[in-house]
Amino acid sequence: MSRASDFADKFKVTKGKDFRLKDWDPADTLKFNDKEQAERILAEGVEKLAKLQDKLYADDRWSLLLIFQAMDAAGKDGTIKHVMSGINPQGCQVYSFKSPSAEELDHDFLWRTTRCLPERGRIGIFNRSYYEEVLVVRVHPEFLEKQRMPRKLVDKDIWEGRYESINDFEKHLSRNGTIVRKFFLNVSKDEQKARFMKRLDDPDRNWKFSSSDAKERQHWDEYQAAYQDLIRATASKHAPWYVVPADHKWFSRVVVAAAIIDALESLNLDYPEVDAAKKAELAEARKLLDGEKKRKS
Ligand code: ATP
Ligand code: MG
């Protein structure tokens, strides 16, 4: 992957004001025609990522939070698996956020994800996130009811209020050394159907299908509207959205890898410098080990 930004910049949204989802083609593949070429580029990207992660870990000051949001079957799991395949598992944690537990519902909407933020030097991946709070919860107001918020705080401004909380939170993270990158895997309605059908047809994929997937699909337009609204409200320079074309999985993986490389390269990371005291310490250790060799021989 020569210049990561070549593959990612076109899909990056830092200012949401005029964002319209219908301008973004889920089947876009830039200049790629074939899967093999993209797979070669991805392999290079994965190697580069491993090196950058090693430096992030050694430097131990920054952390990277990657948020993945999408409609069902858009390929979140596969993208995470492929893009992070070269990464040292010790420096990376993946959290999947499903329907909240009773304990989680007993707290404010940022509580459960805040507990899972990456430590310094680590990459944290959120497979779904607090953005569900302005997506599924918006599309299904009964989820909001379960959150047992004081009634007078639930009014027509609740979503705007949540965007504000999210923006403040992401600003706070970036001020404290957590780099935030957000990915919306943008799959088309036709492609989602084709993938659902595959899951129904192929016994090895049956487990991936849940009846609620087909039900949620009935709310497609409401979800698209909620995505557009949240991207408008929460895209920023320090926490951009990437609207990743997801009809071709091989292409979405290249874009995501490139965006992560771009984020890490922007930190200009290097291995920690060895100061005079550390050098003396290393020389001492060398002496000790050399002595051991001589004593043995
Ligand atoms: P898979 O690829 O395995 O289907 P998934 O992320 O879709 O992965 P599921 O267990 O199928 O996992 O779905 C999780 C469900 O939890 C989603 O429908 C999502 O909208 C819902 N969910 C996530 N966060 C919340 C929330 N805060 N409130 C209500 N529902 C939520
Ligand atoms: Mg699902």
Side-chain angles (χ1 to χ4, degrees):
M1 198 170 279
S2 45
R3 281 237 325 264
S5 50
D6 290 349
F7 301 103
D9 272 1
K10 187 179 169 202
F11 308 107
K12 186 177 186 178
V13 183
T14 53
K15 255 200 244 120
K17 202 166 84 41
D18 301 319
F19 176 79
R20 282 186 319 184
L21 196 47
K22 72 176 176 49
D23 298 338
W24 296 69
D25 177 10
D28 194 354
T29 56
L30 280 180
K31 51 191 185 289
F32 289 95
N33 297 315
D34 70 290
K35 196 173 157 174
E36 281 68 37
Q37 187 195 4
E39 280 172 352
R40 266 199 315 278
I41 301 260
L42 179 62
E44 279 172 42
V46 165
E47 235 175 82
K48 210 168 200 175
L49 256 180
K51 287 188 187 135
L52 286 163
Q53 184 214 11
D54 204 44
K55 286 184 183 168
L56 181 79
Y57 191 82
D59 179 66
D60 204 13
R61 287 178 184 273
W62 298 95
S63 47
L64 178 63
L65 174 63
L66 306 172
I67 293 180
F68 288 87
Q69 287 292 158
M71 298 297 285
D72 283 305
K76 280 187 283 105
D77 293 7
T79 303
I80 294 168
K81 183 166 110 185
H82 280 83
V83 172
M84 306 318 272
S85 57
I87 290 284
N88 178 353
Q90 288 206 77
C92 179
Q93 281 167 315
V94 185
Y95 293 94
S96 297
F97 295 100
K98 315 261 177 189
S99 258
S101 67
E103 188 191 20
E104 289 166 348
L105 286 169
D106 236 2
H107 293 267
D108 76 274
F109 83 94
L110 289 174
W111 184 76
R112 69 166 171 166
T113 39
T114 305
R115 304 165 89 206
C116 302
L117 288 170
E119 295 157 48
R120 296 197 190 281
R122 315 274 167 125
I123 298 177
I125 296 178
F126 286 180
N127 183 350
R128 303 187 188 271
S129 65
Y130 43 82
Y131 281 102
E132 291 293 326
E133 298 287 345
V134 289
L135 283 163
V136 67
V137 180
R138 190 169 185 179
V139 174
H140 297 284
E142 62 273 22
F143 285 126
L144 191 58
E145 185 53 37
K146 281 199 195 141
Q147 298 185 357
R148 295 180 33 253
M149 287 184 42
R151 291 203 193 283
K152 69 182 244 193
L153 300 183
V154 181
D155 57 17
K156 65 173 186 12
D157 297 328
I158 185 158
W159 313 116
E160 282 305 320
R162 287 193 170 189
Y163 293 150
E164 207 176 311
S165 299
I166 289 171
N167 283 332
D168 289 347
F169 179 63
E170 290 177 351
K171 185 84 201 173
H172 163 77
L173 290 179
S174 78
R175 271 196 214 105
N176 286 277
T178 298
I179 308 296
V180 183
R181 294 293 181 268
K182 306 174 294 201
F183 300 94
F184 168 49
L185 303 191
N186 183 24
V187 75
S188 67
K189 197 173 180 189
D190 286 347
E191 180 60 23
Q192 188 198 49
K193 186 171 176 185
R195 290 183 192 175
F196 281 169
M197 290 311 243
K198 227 181 190 171
R199 289 178 181 187
L200 291 172
D201 291 343
D202 177 356
D204 288 349
R205 291 178 205 252
N206 281 170
W207 65 273
K208 282 193 191 175
F209 191 83
S210 101
S211 57
S212 69
D213 291 352
K215 258 193 244 148
E216 284 314 284
R217 183 178 161 80
Q218 307 309 311
H219 297 283
W220 182 272
D221 291 343
E222 291 153 78
Y223 273 107
Q224 298 292 300
Y227 269 112
Q228 174 170 290
D229 209 43
L230 79 82
I231 291 171
R232 280 189 184 172
T234 63
S236 64
K237 240 182 147 153
H238 56 271
W241 275 104
Y242 285 87
V243 181
V244 182
D247 276 6
H248 301 283
K249 290 179 179 176
W250 48 267
F251 184 67
S252 36
R253 290 167 191 168
V254 170
V255 174
V256 172
I260 304 172
I261 290 170
D262 209 30
L264 288 174
E265 280 183 337
S266 75
L267 299 177
N268 290 316
L269 294 168
D270 229 325
Y271 291 105
E273 250 183 60
V274 176
D275 61 13
K278 183 78 185 173
K279 274 190 188 143
E281 203 183 291
L282 296 177
E284 198 55 40
R286 181 182 292 281
K287 239 198 273 169
L288 200 69
L289 293 169
D290 275 347
E292 204 177 274
K293 241 190 323 196
K294 278 185 201 121
R295 274 198 302 281
K296 264 195 192 155
S297 55

